[in-house]
Amino acid sequence: MAPKFQGVDFYDVDGLLSEEERAVRDTVRAWVDDNLIPIIGEHYVEGKFPKHLVPQMAELGLFGANLPEEYGCAGLNNVAYGLIMQELERGDSGVRSFASVQGALVMYPIHAFGSEEQKRRWLPRMASGEVIGCFGLTEPDYGSNPAAMITVAKGTKDGWLLNGAKMWITNGSTASVAIVWAKTGKLDDVESIRGFIVPADTKGFSAKDQKGKLSLRASDTSELVLQDVCLPKDAILPKSGGLKSPLSCLTQARYGIAWGAVGAAMACYDEAVGYAKSRVMFGKPIGGFQLQQARLAEMLTEITKAQLLCLQLGRLKDQGKVTPQQVSLAKRNNVDIATEVAREARRLLGANGILAEYQAMRHLANLESVYTYEGTHDIHTLILGQEITGLNAFN
Ligand code: TGC
Ligand code: FAD
């Protein structure tokens, strides 16, 4: 059995947290150690999402944890929410993704753009895990450029008629409801992009799992097809309008990913330190060689910087001051350094580093998806480039 995770906190970031934030972190940490880490390797190899953990995650209040209590959510601040994402991804990026999609990409848009009736109808059942949701923005031909989407929602006498396809949709086949983004006006009219609540049992809606993934294997990823899907008038999120609406959901999810990636890096570092102290080669622990010490020093430095970055980002978010560009910087940096930490940890472990019994290779493979989704590393570079220069280099 893997030794118990001791935490990675070189700069006493703990000392900057409130008692409640620490308590939330410790509760989720213990749950991940006891329930997720022991089973995740096997699920990963089998390509299965650990569905049986959903009720426990709901019981802990992990879905939409930063949304208000009046809708059945935990009402936590954004730092506590970030710490939840950190601990979940310390277990596995796929499990953090499940919670991110449910909270930041499905519950958040219902809360931000939904009617009071929609909020009361969906949010409590999503917080309790009774209803699982997915978020359909990406299309087969429009990933980084969702403004060009072709999924269309046509107004009819009784409501809406949706046609189109969405690709790479996390939780797609498990979800009983999808938030689908579609154009309601002329196809070239970006302003017409609106969000729709689509129950998965609606005629014409189907989800098919995408097979053959070598990354994020403990997560369901699907293609959604919408063929003459008829929806009632009240299926639209009334306050959604323009690309800004789905992009603001992405800001919430990217915020959680910035924290989550630190969790994955902490898991890899912790494993690497343990291995470096116990694996003996040429008559001494490999941790006694300068090359391995340099690896570990680099990992700890980057993790510490990323932890401080997350905390200040969270404090800014709690003060209502955070900008999407600040979130982009954190997503971009933290996923990048986590990928490097996972790669170096994998290498330090030698041949054992390629086994599912250890964590580093699984995290490394997962982080390749995290690097690409929620805005690729390149897209966040361009977002920052535009913020710095005022010049658009996307097109
Ligand atoms: P652009 O003209 O820049 O923006 C249109 C309007 O939106 C505003 N805006 C944002 N608002 C909130 N948050 C953000 N992050 C925002 N980014 C832009 C912007 O101010 C503008 O507002 P207004 O009032 O002027 O209308 O739009 P663009 O078409 O040029 O696109 C910019 C670009 C390329 C950055 C954007 O399209 C983008 O971010 N592309 C990446 C797509 C992406 O990240 N997809 C993710 C899909 S979901 C997913 O991957 C889930 S993975 C599972 C998991 O999360 O775990
Ligand atoms: P493309 O946009 O085709 O990009 C290909 C390459 O070109 C990348 O390297 C990119 O950085 C580069 N590139 C693109 N534009 C530019 C440019 N202007 N300048 C320079 N380089 C550029 N989407 C959802 O809507 N919901 C989900 O739940 C969801 N879950 C996902 C789960 C997984 C496991 C994965 C892998 C993806 C998921 N996605 C989801 C989709 C994800 O958001 C997209 O894959 C991502 O936005 C990139 O789009 P793309 O794959 O089409 O790549």
Side-chain angles (χ1 to χ4, degrees), residues 221-273:
T221 313
S222 322
E223 182 181 1
L224 308 183
V225 176
L226 298 116
Q227 198 171 4
D228 291 333
V229 171
C230 289
L231 296 172
K233 280 203 166 70
D234 64 359
I236 195 165
L237 292 172
K239 292 181 222 149
S240 67
L243 187 63
K244 197 182 176 90
S245 302
L247 292 184
S248 70
C249 305
L250 301 187
T251 297
Q252 307 306 312
R254 291 166 178 173
Y255 170 77
I257 290 171
W259 283 88
V262 178
M266 284 160 63
C268 294
Y269 170 79
D270 183 64
E271 181 170 75
V273 171

Side-chain angles (χ1 to χ4, degrees), residues 71 110 114-124 197 234:
Y71 298 112
I110 293 174
S115 64
E116 194 53 36
E117 197 273 329
Q118 287 170 332
K119 291 189 227 187
R120 302 241 168 252
R121 175 165 177 215
W122 294 103
L123 295 180
I197 303 179
D234 64 359

Side-chain angles (χ1 to χ4, degrees), residues 35 60 71 100 156 168 201 219 239 245 263 291 326 342-343:
N35 300 282
L60 288 170
Y71 298 112
S100 280
T156 64
W168 300 110
D201 58 5
S219 168
K239 292 181 222 149
S245 302
L291 282 176
Q326 288 169 332
R343 183 173 292 120

Side-chain angles (χ1 to χ4, degrees), residues 13 40-41 84 89 104 136 148 170 198 224 229 247 278-279 282 306 321 341 343-344 358-359 366:
V13 177
I40 192 63
I84 292 174
E89 195 148 358
T170 302
V198 185
L224 308 183
V229 171
L247 292 184
S278 61
R279 175 69 174 170
F282 293 99
K321 288 190 198 160
V341 167
R343 183 173 292 120
E344 290 305 315
Y358 291 86
Q359 303 181 57
N366 279 338

Side-chain angles (χ1 to χ4, degrees), residues 25-84:
R25 194 269 321 275
D26 290 345
T27 304
V28 185
R29 180 166 287 180
W31 180 82
V32 166
D33 283 337
D34 294 345
N35 300 282
L36 178 54
I37 290 181
I39 56 110
I40 192 63
E42 206 178 315
H43 278 70
Y44 193 88
V45 171
E46 289 174 8
K48 277 198 326 216
F49 171 70
K51 212 174 173 175
H52 68 282
L53 296 179
V54 172
Q56 295 172 38
M57 291 166 77
E59 183 70 32
L60 288 170
L62 306 188
F63 301 140
N66 54 354
L67 295 177
E69 287 172 279
E70 64 172 309
Y71 298 112
C73 305
L76 297 175
N77 73 8
N78 287 291
V79 169
Y81 173 83
L83 289 162
I84 292 174

